[in-house]
Amino acid sequence: MGDQEKHLAPGSCHRISAVCRPQCAGRGGHWRVNQRQRKTFLSVSLSLSLSTLPVKKKKKKIARLNIHPSLGVLIELEKRVRPSCTSKANCRTSVMQDKSRGSCKPRAARRGRSGYALWAELKLHFPASRASPTYFREPANKMAASVEHDSPSEVSEAAVEEEETKTFKDLGVTDVLCEACDQLGWTKPTKIQIEAIPLALQGRDIIGLAETGSGKTGAFALPILNALLETPQRLFALVLTPTRELAFQISEQFEALGSSIGVHCAVIVGGIDSMSQSLALAKKPHIVIATPGRLIDHLENTKGFNLRALKYLVMDEADRILNMDFETEVDKILKVIPRDRKTFLFSATMTKKVQKLQRAALKNPVKCAVSSKYQTVEKLQQYYIFIPSKFKDTYLVYILNELAGNSFMIFCSTCNNTQRTALLLRNLGFTAIPLHGQMSQSKRLGSLNKFKAKARSILLATDVASRGLDIPHVDVVVNFDIPTHSKDYIHRVGRTARAGRSGKAITFVTQYDVELFQRIEHLIGKKLPVFPTQDDEVMMLTERVAEAQRFARMELREHGEKKKRAREDVGDNDDTEGAMGVRNKVAGGKMKKRKGR
Ligand SMILES: Nc1ncnc2c1ncn2[C@@H]1O[C@H](COP(=O)(O)OP(=O)(O)OP(=O)(O)O)[C@@H](O)[C@H]1O
């Protein structure tokens, strides 16, 4: 019999008779539902027939019928034991034991033919609209199933509706946190929240995979706050993030959700005075949000700070955190936190490499996947333009003019190119601001805040800004330099079209980038269309752009020398906006003057 492999039409009710094989005897296990079934099931009626099995005498138990809590809504569990079974009353739902243990044994077995009988009828709902979790514990019960069609079910439609109208309260979130969600304008939970929150509240370790901008932060923050309310404790949870800006953002979200319950968070990231962080840790916050390196510094050097009582560990952007770059730090952290903790891994691009996941030391995790492994958002329009490398700047200016009035995030591959391009655009009168790893942390946050506050319409950034940052008003992402790691593409373009909004992403492909681009298309499983451009109009810009390039190079040099001369200078001049010439240009004068306009 095909093991739950039969195709089942949506909207119909099905009866599956499953026969439990002898080797499953005595062990617990979970039903595994295959991908197709998860997609098509609306309602399923399972009739499990565990009958007359050739069980060896020494086997004491037959089967354990476990329904994984995340599998679906268990509507009905009905058990019938064959009339031949003499001690119905003793027969437990899942286990039948032999006579010596004083419970039932069917006649067939008593006659010497080893065999037991148990019917269990289950009805499960698999609403079609629901993105079902895809990871279940490998079933110990190997069941062979036969599928019969039953009459179509109306209940299923109701179940779909129910799924859509689920509230945070239905997920088990406590009232005070539901109110906080309400205040943030979160009227209903997102798919990943529907999947992950109930499981997290049950105390399971979770691997959460969902597309960018789908509310993963809420999916781990709400269960942690819920648990914190139940058992208040200092240094309750640790959230590890790969970038500093993301750490601040997550802290803001925790504080917004937990404001009414007085949650205290500490952000522990590099590039910021350690002393103030030590003081913050001395106050024993409830939640610590940290980048791995600086957290290690504090664990090693800050007196009185330890995470020995930690209850929750979250790795946001987990595939990045579990990457080789953070290997030593993460291993060190895992050694000094209790093994008896809950662990949540979340990302839009989760690694499947078992070795990497093992490093997170998860215990019997559930994978909540509401997107395929490398999926971009439906409302995101993605394009590419194929151009000669030397005209990249000109095409960028053309696109910025074409899509004027929008908010842009432009990704470059190096700090130097980010800085140079920001200068170039400023020279042409665009309100552009850079964000990269060679800027001081205060300047990085300054840039981000100006962009968030819409005081600047263009943020030029390295991949330091590609993951996690939630800036709702970003309309267009431009991959000025194509990402070398295809996964970064998904995160970069995910800075737009967030939380159900729409957005555009345009990737520049030069003669050197063709292979990288093909890899990206392969990863996302899509062929991207070309972004339409008028080449003659682009070429009309070359002269102006060339002039702005010259000024940008000069300013970059000037800026570098100035920095060398006055490293300790605390003025606002270690990002490009501080460079004198540029400031004038932003004010609208210098370039025009030079051009005589
Ligand atoms: N239930 C909800 N209803 C409405 N908006 C929500 C809900 N949950 C989260 N959001 C909002 O959705 C936006 C994106 O959330 P979040 O930053 O958690 O996404 P993410 O999945 O972590 O994205 P990324 O993969 O880019 O890190 C945020 O502005 C957040 O406030």
Side-chain angles (χ1 to χ4, degrees), residues 168 186 188 193 212-217 317 468 470 495 498-499:
F168 283 103
W186 299 4
K188 57 180 184 142
Q193 290 163 358
T212 50
S214 59
K216 292 188 285 294
T217 317
E317 309 297 341
D470 182 50
R495 294 317 98 209
R498 296 175 69 74

Side-chain angles (χ1 to χ4, degrees), residues 191-262:
K191 281 183 185 172
I192 184 68
Q193 290 163 358
I194 292 174
E195 292 302 332
I197 291 174
L199 289 165
L201 292 175
Q202 283 166 26
R204 299 293 302 269
D205 281 5
I206 287 176
I207 300 174
L209 174 70
E211 57 194 25
T212 50
S214 59
K216 292 188 285 294
T217 317
F220 63 75
L222 284 168
I224 290 177
L225 292 171
N226 217 81
L228 181 64
L229 263 175
E230 279 170 19
T231 49
Q233 184 205 299
R234 298 279 166 173
L235 298 171
F236 187 72
L238 167 67
V239 184
L240 290 178
T241 78
T243 65
R244 301 165 185 179
E245 287 76 12
L246 184 53
F248 284 104
Q249 184 182 295
I250 293 171
S251 166
E252 279 162 22
Q253 187 126 126
F254 264 102
E255 275 166 2
L257 286 168
S259 58
S260 54
I261 59 171

Side-chain angles (χ1 to χ4, degrees), residues 223-388:
I224 290 177
L225 292 171
N226 217 81
L228 181 64
L229 263 175
E230 279 170 19
T231 49
Q233 184 205 299
R234 298 279 166 173
L235 298 171
F236 187 72
L238 167 67
V239 184
L240 290 178
T241 78
T243 65
R244 301 165 185 179
E245 287 76 12
L246 184 53
F248 284 104
Q249 184 182 295
I250 293 171
S251 166
E252 279 162 22
Q253 187 126 126
F254 264 102
E255 275 166 2
L257 286 168
S259 58
S260 54
I261 59 171
V263 160
H264 289 286
C265 299
V267 178
I268 305 298
V269 295
I272 284 179
D273 168 42
S274 268
M275 190 51 88
S276 60
Q277 293 179 354
S278 300
L279 290 173
L281 290 174
K283 288 183 188 158
K284 301 220 182 304
H286 299 110
I287 320 279
V288 176
I289 301 115
T291 48
R294 181 55 71 91
L295 183 71
I296 293 286
D297 279 356
H298 283 285
L299 283 167
E300 288 174 349
N301 304 318
T302 301
K303 263 193 182 168
F305 169 59
N306 66 66
L307 293 170
R308 287 197 285 265
L310 196 79
K311 293 289 182 290
Y312 283 85
L313 169 69
V314 182
M315 294 188 191
D316 194 24
E317 309 297 341
D319 54 328
R320 178 88 182 85
I321 294 277
L322 291 170
N323 236 343
M324 287 306 135
D325 306 354
F326 292 111
E327 191 180 10
T328 341
E329 288 92 339
V330 168
D331 288 349
K332 278 187 185 172
I333 292 166
L334 289 170
K335 270 187 200 142
V336 297
I337 60 173
R339 275 196 70 79
D340 184 24
R341 58 157 201 273
K342 312 280 178 289
T343 309
F344 300 155
L345 309 186
F346 278 86
S347 185
T349 52
M350 187 59 77
T351 179
K352 265 198 175 164
K353 288 186 186 138
V354 177
Q355 264 177 332
K356 280 192 184 173
L357 291 174
Q358 270 172 349
R359 289 187 44 234
L362 298 156
K363 277 190 288 185
N364 188 22
V366 192
K367 185 170 180 184
C368 299
V370 299
S371 67
S372 73
K373 201 172 153 207
Y374 298 116
Q375 195 175 310
T376 48
V377 182
E378 211 176 287
K379 285 196 175 172
L380 174 72
Q381 295 171 277
Q382 302 173 72
Y383 303 94
Y384 78 97
I385 52 172
F386 186 59
I387 46 169

